[in-house]
Amino acid sequence: MSRLDDAKAAVTDLSRPERWVLTVSVGFALFLLAALLTGGLGPTYFLFLVGLAGMYALLSFGLNAQWGYTGLINFSVAAFFGIGAYGSALMTADGSPIAGGLSPLVGLAVALFVALLLALLIGIPTLRLRADYLAIASLGLAEVVRLVVLNERWLTNGSAGVRGIPGFFAGWPVLSTFPEAMPGLRLEVVPGSPVFLETAFWQASLNVLLVLAFAGATYFVLRRAHRSPWGRVLRTIRSDEDLARALGKNTYSFKMQSFVLGSLIMALAGVFYTHLNLYVGPGDLDPITTFYAWVAVILGGSGSNRGALFGGIVIVAIREGTRFLNDVALPVDPAPLRLLLIGVVIIAVMRYRPQGVLPPQRELIWPSAVDGGGRPERPDSGVRERKGGGDGE
């Protein structure tokens, strides 16, 4: 069978929502490509959008590991995102009030360590209780972290934020000088619409490479974990925690592992953001970040990693796409209606696809089981017959 036949079979095997998502995604990608080649969209800004979509995908992965897998309600996505961003920024930035000048790898390690401590601090007293208490505690945690960042100027530089943050690959062999070493290029695919690839473009390419590495590794780890016995225990806890406890599972330990894992992924998104934006301030910790992550998970489908990825991309498309609506000659200014548009999307999903656009049914099936290779054999006789018993006994 040729690769073309394999591709046709794969498309034929898709469900109707998956075909719809594939069609829309391909159409949107072609639209962006056309805008890129005609000069309507700058190549550097295009890569920035890709990086931003990857960052929201990471946030959605983290929340999905908590809510989608285990049913943990976490309203402090922005707090862990901020811990990751500030943790790395304060270790690496020249304008850091406490340290600065260290390698971004040190910043990454410090950010993840602080996020781990904070997750344990909030999880230990709340995860033995009902889910409501974690929701309340995490909501308060998000506001506490934001106020500490805003008011403790000796530590975070207050409302001025932290500047002078280097790129993630600063100090690395070859990669640190890669953007400057690459020559500027002028491409003209469409006559009259040249595209310039300069230092900023190569710098953005490194950022995209970084977020693809983060998001790709996270996706495959979560995908593997979701299908593992560990993932099955988490799904059982979400469906019926009393049943999991009756089966001998330490539900508190499993919930803690899920909460810590999700928090670390959110902090990873913050680390990427701080080295993408080269600046971080208290405004980046606003509750809207948590809101966007929840919308992405609900839109894609709780428990679905593919859905979390799709939801993150849709959020960025709405958030950044509405900026250009001001250029359209409409009687009203549509860009400030961004939240209204997201609300309409949520209502439509809840009305027509309450399980999300890409629910996780397919993700829970091993490929060998789909092909029939892993199908269990049907026994020729029952247990009683094999033990020598019969109907007459």
Side-chain angles (χ1 to χ4, degrees):
M1 182 178 291
S2 65
R3 294 181 181 274
L4 183 61
D5 293 334
D6 290 342
K8 289 182 179 178
V11 172
T12 306
D13 190 46
L14 295 178
S15 64
R16 185 177 177 183
E18 289 171 337
R19 291 180 189 175
W20 179 84
V21 169
L22 179 62
T23 303
V24 172
S25 301
V26 171
F28 187 62
L30 292 176
F31 170 75
L32 291 180
L33 181 62
L36 189 65
L37 295 178
T38 56
L41 192 66
T44 305
Y45 183 65
F46 171 76
L47 292 181
F48 172 78
L49 292 180
V50 175
L52 204 59
M55 188 200 76
Y56 273 101
L58 281 173
L59 289 177
S60 304
F61 285 152
L63 183 60
N64 193 44
Q66 296 173 342
W67 164 248
Y69 287 11
T70 322
L72 302 176
I73 305 175
N74 181 10
F75 288 130
S76 59
V77 175
F80 288 102
F81 171 79
I83 291 297
Y86 268 92
S88 187
L90 292 175
M91 292 296 106
T92 60
D94 294 334
S96 170
I98 60 172
L102 299 178
S103 168
L105 289 178
V106 176
L108 172 65
V110 170
L112 295 182
F113 180 71
V114 175
L116 170 65
L117 290 182
L118 192 64
L120 293 175
L121 185 65
I122 197 69
I124 287 174
T126 59
L127 292 181
R128 289 188 186 279
L129 307 174
R130 293 186 314 178
D132 316 36
Y133 293 94
L134 175 61
I136 296 171
S138 61
L139 191 63
L141 172 69
E143 190 62 10
V144 167
V145 171
R146 192 184 69 82
L147 291 177
V148 167
V149 167
L150 183 62
N151 295 297
E152 299 297 330
R153 297 181 61 86
W154 64 272
L155 178 64
T156 63
N157 215 21
S159 59
V162 180
R163 302 178 185 276
I165 302 171
F168 188 82
F169 294 102
W172 289 43
V174 181
L175 292 178
S176 61
T177 56
F178 171 76
E180 293 79 12
M182 289 299 293
L185 298 178
R186 181 181 184 276
L187 303 178
E188 189 169 352
V189 180
V190 178
S193 301
V195 177
F196 297 96
L197 307 182
E198 299 176 336
T199 302
F201 172 81
W202 303 117
Q203 180 64 49
S205 300
L206 288 180
N207 291 328
V208 169
L209 177 67
L210 177 65
V211 76
L212 289 180
F214 281 173
T218 302
Y219 179 84
F220 285 108
V221 167
L222 291 180
R223 183 168 178 263
R224 181 73 184 180
H226 202 195
R227 291 172 170 176
S228 68
W230 183 78
R232 288 198 291 273
V233 174
L234 297 186
R235 294 198 299 275
T236 304
I237 292 174
R238 178 181 179 178
S239 302
D240 191 338
E241 185 174 349
D242 292 334
L243 173 61
R245 194 178 294 116
L247 292 173
K249 303 299 180 184
N250 186 344
T251 59
Y252 173 72
S253 174
F254 280 96
K255 288 162 69 176
M256 181 64 76
Q257 295 166 28
S258 174
F259 187 69
V260 169
L261 175 63
S263 301
L264 292 180
I265 296 173
M266 294 170 191
L268 201 60
V271 171
F272 167 73
Y273 175 79
T274 198
H275 292 288
L276 169 72
N277 206 33
L278 306 184
Y279 166 78
V280 61
D284 297 319
L285 279 64
D286 284 344
I288 192 67
T289 304
T290 300
F291 174 72
Y292 283 150
W294 272 99
V295 171
V297 172
I298 293 173
L299 173 65
S302 298
S304 169
N305 295 316
R306 296 177 306 151
L309 177 63
F310 174 71
I313 295 174
V314 170
I315 288 298
V316 173
I318 294 177
R319 182 184 134 169
E320 297 298 317
T322 49
R323 299 182 189 278
F324 299 96
L325 293 179
N326 286 328
D327 300 332
V328 181
L330 294 176
V332 295
D333 186 4
L337 303 179
R338 183 177 302 130
L339 290 180
L340 175 63
L341 181 59
I342 292 177
V344 171
V345 171
I346 294 176
I347 293 173
V349 169
M350 290 296 101
R351 172 65 179 83
Y352 298 104
R353 295 283 298 178
Q355 72 276 30
V357 178
L358 295 173
Q361 285 89 346
R362 186 184 291 271
E363 295 184 17
L364 302 179
I365 304 173
W366 287 102
S368 57
V370 176
D371 297 336
R375 183 176 300 168
E377 297 180 357
R378 181 185 295 276
D380 297 329
S381 59
V383 175
R384 175 174 297 180
E385 287 78 6
R386 278 183 286 174
K387 289 185 177 180
D391 295 338
E393 295 184 359

